[in-house]
Structures are given as C-alpha cells and as structure tokens.
Amino acid sequence: MIKYISRSKIIQCNRFFGTRWSSTAALVGKAEELVEPSKTLTRETMNPFIRNAEYAVLGDLPARAEVINKTLKTDPGRFKFDNVIFCNIGNPHIFNQKPITFFRQVASLCENQDLLKKENREIVSKLYPEDAIARAETLLEHIGYLGAYSDAQGIDHIRKNIAKFIERRDGYKADPESIFLTQGAGEGIQRVLSMLNQPNHPQTTGVMIPIPQYPIYTAALQMMGAEPVPYYLDEKKSFALDLSRLQKSINEARQRNIHVRALAVINPGNPTGQCLPKENIRDIIQFCHEEKMVALADEVYQDNIFQPKDHPFHSFKKVLMSMDPKYSQHQELFSFHSVSKGMVGECGRRGGYVECVNIDPGVMEELYKVFCIFSGSNTQGQIMVDLMTNPPVKGDPSYPQYKAEVDAIHTSYHRRAQNLADCFNRLEGVTCEHAKGAMYLFPQIRLPKKAVEEAKRAHMSPDSFYGMALLNATGICVVPGSGFGQEPGTLHIRCSFLPEESLFDKLCKNIEQFHKEFMMKYKD
C-alpha cells in the first residue's frame, strides 16, 4: 500500500536525496501523458474530504521506502544497506514473529474441513492436539457454512465468548447483544465516528483526539467532513492526560462553533506507550459525563503491558462500572479491541470487535443496519477473535505451548522496547520515554538550526527531513511525529520496536552512526 506520490514530491526528494527516483518520475510522467483530459472523476473533481485526508503511517517516507525496497531487488548494490526495515507500522508478522500455534491449527482445521472427517481422524489426531480439533468442530457447528455470510453483528457463539472474556477481565457482566464483530478495530472506529457525525447540524461535528494520536481518527473524521479537536498529552509527565488541557481544548473548539460530541482515548497509547492509571480514567469519564460527550476507548494494546505492577491496564468499561450509578448506568462508551496487536499480531486476518455500553437502543438498531449494509465482518477474522478471547487454559493439551509462545513474545517485546529506548537516549539532543505498553517509541529530537533551515528549503517538516535522511542512509523507515501531531516547537519520530531481536544490535548501531553524522553535518 503506497500513498499517492505527487510529481512535486518526487522532484523534491530527488533534489535533496539524489536522483534515485528518476525512474519513478519517468513513469509518473508517462502516466500523466496517458491521462485523458475528459475524465469525469479526477483529483480535482473527487470528494475533497477524501483528497485532503492524510495517513502518515503510510505516507511519503513509507512510499519512498517501498521504492527503495523494489530497487534493492533488482540492483542490490545501489544502497549502503541490504534491506529496508519497516519500523513505520505495527505489523508483527512482517518481522517473522511466529504465529500462535494453537490459533493457526484451529484456523487451518476450520478451513480444510476434510481433515475432520471420520476416515481422517486417526491421521489428524497425530498432527493436531485434541483441544484444537475440538475447538474447530465447535466453531464450525456454530458457524454453519464457513464461506457464507455470518450474521451482520457477528457469529452469536463468538460474541458470547467475547462477553465471557470481558466479564473475566473486568468482573462485570457483558451483553453479547452489545458486541459487534468488525474488520479489525479500524472498521469499528469508522462506523462509530460515522454514527456520531451530524452533517446537517448548523455546527460542525467535533471529536476530541489525543495529540500525539494514531492518525486513523483524524483521517476518518476528515473524510466525513467532521473536525478533529486535538488535546495535548503532557510529555513532561510521561504523556499523561491532563484535565485542564481537555477543558481548554473543548472551550476553544466551542468558540470556533464546533459541536464536540465525543472524546477518544488510546490506552495503552499509540504512539506514546503510556498506560493510564485508574484515577485518570475515572476523571475522563466524569469529564465526558459533565460535557455530554460519548467516550471512545481504543484498547487494542491491552495485552502489551510491560510494567504490570506499577502501570497495569485498566479498561474503561471496568472503571465505568465501578463508579456511581449516574455514570455507570448512563455514560455512553464504545470500546475497541483487535487481533492485530497484543501477542497475536494477526493484522491480515482483520478481526476485531466493538462493545457498546449505555448506548440508546435506537442507535443500536441503526448500527446493526449499517453492519447489514456492509454484510458484516469476515468469518476468518471472527474465528481469530474467538481464539484471542478464549485461548487454551491450564489443563488443556495446548496450554503449555500456548503459554510458552505468548510469554516469549511478550518478554522479547519488553527487551526490545528497553534496548531501543536506551539507544535513542544515547543520541545527542534526543530524549525518549520508556514504553509502558503498546509497540512503539516516540523520541523527541532536537535538530540544529541548519537542519531545520535545510528542511524548509526542501519544503519538508524538520522531522520528515530527518526521517527521510535516516531512511536513505540506513534503510530504517520511521514516521515523522508531525504525522501524529505534536506540541508546537517539538519534533519527534515514531519507531516500532518490532524488528527481530537478532537485528537489534545492528539496528541500534546504524541509528547511532547515522545520527552522529547527521548532527555533525548540520552542526550550528
């Protein structure tokens, strides 16, 4: 997936990073010659909300990285490195993260149902553990026909298992009828935002978004003509959420005639890795209640917790249910989860869910209608959600292997997060918070004035300029902090710590060498 690359961007990158995109520029030029002037749909006549939307995770740097990656396959000696390391995205399996064996076993049995026939049982029993076979049979019994549409809300059996998972996690009942299975968390977020939007209202719909933020929120709101209302996390306090900043943000938005309807929270944080304390979540819920806003809790990294004693994960649902009935029985909440993150990492399966708490019954009916229009989520993703929320337990044949695999991934994540943070903190002018969760670091970089001036001449933000230079020198692809939002006067990059642990010594060495040379080149 490559974002549209304009001719000006190619010329710009050629000018400041060499002429290695000349072949791409030539292709774009030929494409322009072939475009008929009579086209009905053009970039000028298309929906301007879509044209103006941005998604930095797959923006200009990743587009350049894809070009380099293709070049390396045909001309390996062109660059000083052998491969591109895509640290721009939380996509664990591209770094050879081993899938959870039990999950893939069940998925394969569901896909190849001939394996479950009586005549094959003896052979299959030697290849698959009993609990994987039993799980596949149970799922197929409830799914019916694997290749057919499921109920638009999701398979009833799987929604019941999700409800049990939420009850075990939080200690409070969950209603399967309040749960919708989705194509990853992203679809659930987009559906809910579309329900919140009021295009015919005299005021523009606004949704409060944390800065830094995961840019799906801004992009989705931009595409529907709604307004992101940023509130800044406090980097000096480990990216804590400050209520005074929330109040300032909503007041300013209302002065601009924006109808603020919801507040989004990413916990654990992306890209910042913070994990909100219970007291902070309680304050946020009270704030939403007082300001008559819906709470949106993006909790896809809830299994990626590295300091559980000091910074445990608390779900918004659990905190809400523990509060006074005026909150617990009335405050509207949508919470999102996904199989793409955590220890599962099955991004391509596109499985997730949204739980709806205290939502008006009429809205629930309309939400169901929307899912019906789009035929619900894919069955394979739903199966993976079932496995994530209902994994092997102690006493099951697959439990020892499952536990060993999950623990190995988790401890490796933590080591990688610490090593990369230490690497960034060794760099001149760089400070980096250690991640308490999630999959990323968001170091602040302080660049010399000459580098900032050079970036300006290149018509690039300074952090994009730094990131592009890092990519061209080392093959390491990061995302500029400007793509996530950052406090004015600060510069950052987001870098995942997902590359294989065996690569980390070389990865850190390359970053340190590049940074030293960059700072020397642009020294004031």
Side-chain angles (χ1 to χ4, degrees), residues 276-295:
L276 295 178
K278 187 188 303 182
E279 296 74 23
N280 209 182
I281 296 173
R282 186 178 291 114
D283 289 341
I284 295 165
I285 291 170
Q286 290 175 343
F287 179 79
C288 287
H289 183 75
E290 291 165 5
E291 299 294 344
K292 301 187 184 307
M293 291 190 296
V294 177

Side-chain angles (χ1 to χ4, degrees), residues 43-101:
R43 295 190 77 242
E44 288 69 36
T45 63
M46 68 180 285
N47 184 338
F49 294 141
I50 294 177
R51 184 179 64 235
N52 296 331
E54 297 182 357
Y55 186 66
V57 175
L58 295 173
D60 294 329
L61 264 71
R64 168 66 170 153
E66 288 287 358
V67 171
I68 293 174
N69 204 36
K70 290 179 181 178
T71 302
L72 286 170
K73 293 176 182 178
T74 57
D75 188 3
R78 178 69 70 88
F79 298 92
K80 296 179 181 179
F81 46 86
D82 300 325
N83 62 300
V84 174
I85 302 176
F86 289 92
C87 293
N88 60 299
I89 193 166
N91 195 4
H93 288 177
I94 66 168
F95 293 110
N96 296 316
Q97 178 173 306
K98 187 180 182 297
I100 303 298
T101 301

Side-chain angles (χ1 to χ4, degrees), residues 450-515:
K450 287 182 180 179
V452 174
E453 291 168 359
E454 189 73 10
K456 187 176 181 179
R457 283 193 288 272
H459 305 288
M460 300 171 74
S461 65
D463 46 7
S464 294
F465 182 81
Y466 178 88
M468 191 69 79
L470 174 66
L471 172 63
N472 281 281
T474 66
I476 300 168
C477 181
V478 298
V479 188
S482 50
F484 298 90
Q486 52 197 345
E487 289 215 55
T490 67
L491 300 171
H492 300 77
I493 57 172
R494 188 191 78 163
C495 185
S496 82
F497 44 79
L498 293 177
E500 298 161 70
E501 205 162 2
S502 60
L503 301 175
F504 253 69
D505 285 346
K506 184 178 180 182
L507 178 78
C508 292
K509 182 179 179 182
N510 287 344
I511 291 173
E512 291 183 47
Q513 182 63 32
F514 159 77
H515 187 81

Side-chain angles (χ1 to χ4, degrees), residues 212 233 265-276 298 301 437-440:
L233 302 176
V265 178
I266 306 172
N267 182 50
N270 174 8
T272 55
Q274 90 282 12
C275 198
L276 295 178
D298 183 334
Y301 295 99
M439 293 178 169
Y440 318 96

